[in-house]
Amino acid sequence: MATKPSEQQFAQLVKEQKSTIYTVCYMFSKDEDEVADLFEEVLVNLWKGFQEFQGRSNPRTWVYRVSLNTCISADRKRKRRKTIPLSMDINLFEDDDADSRQVQMLRNRIARLGPFDRAIVLLWLENMSYEEIGQVMGTGHRHHPALSC
């Protein structure tokens, strides 16, 4: 008989994995409000699946998987709506040093990739092993050419 997950256990998981969730959300949006919305949506989906998760796999892997699935779904919905964001074409908080420009260029290039490829690059940048990437993406690294080396 499975025990019902406690809010305290869930809060601890979120505390431990908060940076993982934010990393994924930032990879799928440049807008701060949208990142906050994605973060909340990920939390809802994590809570919905928390009882079934309960230690069946590595928590980080599970959180990545739920976060990526949530953000990819939101990305697809957003593209179907095709809204035009209002922008001042200026970010008063953006750093303008060489490192910041390089990071922004990398982020822009990654943003042009499809959701699946973007997810793989993100996980690789997070120094995950190919086996972990396969677990998060729901495919064994032997079965997907992008994950084999």
Side-chain angles (χ1 to χ4, degrees):
M1 180 179 214
T3 59
K4 191 168 180 159
S6 76
E7 289 181 23
Q8 187 176 9
Q9 290 171 313
F10 182 74
Q12 183 63 34
L13 174 78
V14 171
K15 182 179 176 185
E16 291 169 1
Q17 301 297 326
K18 190 164 121 174
S19 67
T20 296
I21 300 167
Y22 270 118
T23 298
V24 174
C25 294
Y26 276 115
M27 188 60 70
F28 280 84
S29 180
K30 295 177 186 177
D31 180 75
E32 289 181 47
D33 291 334
E34 190 172 45
V35 167
D37 290 345
L38 286 171
F39 187 86
E40 287 178 20
E41 199 170 332
V42 169
L43 290 182
V44 168
N45 290 335
L46 287 171
W47 177 250
K48 286 179 183 175
F50 190 61
Q51 186 168 350
E52 286 77 34
F53 160 68
Q54 290 295 289
R56 287 190 179 160
S57 66
N58 178 308
R60 183 173 179 235
T61 301
W62 180 69
V63 168
Y64 260 115
R65 185 175 219 165
V66 172
S67 301
L68 284 167
N69 286 338
T70 302
C71 291
I72 288 169
S73 294
D75 192 56
R76 287 182 183 143
K77 288 176 193 171
R78 185 176 60 244
K79 285 182 178 167
R80 281 196 297 260
R81 283 194 306 259
K82 293 188 180 182
T83 58
I84 300 171
L86 297 175
S87 174
M88 296 186 337
D89 294 328
I90 182 171
N91 184 346
L92 301 174
F93 303 102
E94 191 172 305
D95 290 332
D96 199 30
D97 62 14
D99 288 341
S100 295
R101 284 193 302 271
Q102 230 176 349
V103 168
Q104 190 58 41
M105 281 174 43
L106 177 61
R107 192 173 192 278
N108 288 341
R109 288 179 180 152
I110 292 171
R112 286 188 229 145
L113 297 173
F116 186 83
D117 293 328
R118 194 179 325 168
I120 290 174
V121 169
L122 168 67
L123 297 172
W124 182 80
L125 289 171
E126 289 288 309
N127 293 318
M128 286 188 127
S129 70
Y130 293 117
E131 183 179 334
E132 287 175 305
I133 293 171
Q135 289 170 356
V136 170
M137 298 304 295
T139 178
H141 70 277
R142 288 182 223 106
H143 303 298
H144 194 279
L147 296 179
S148 61
C149 287

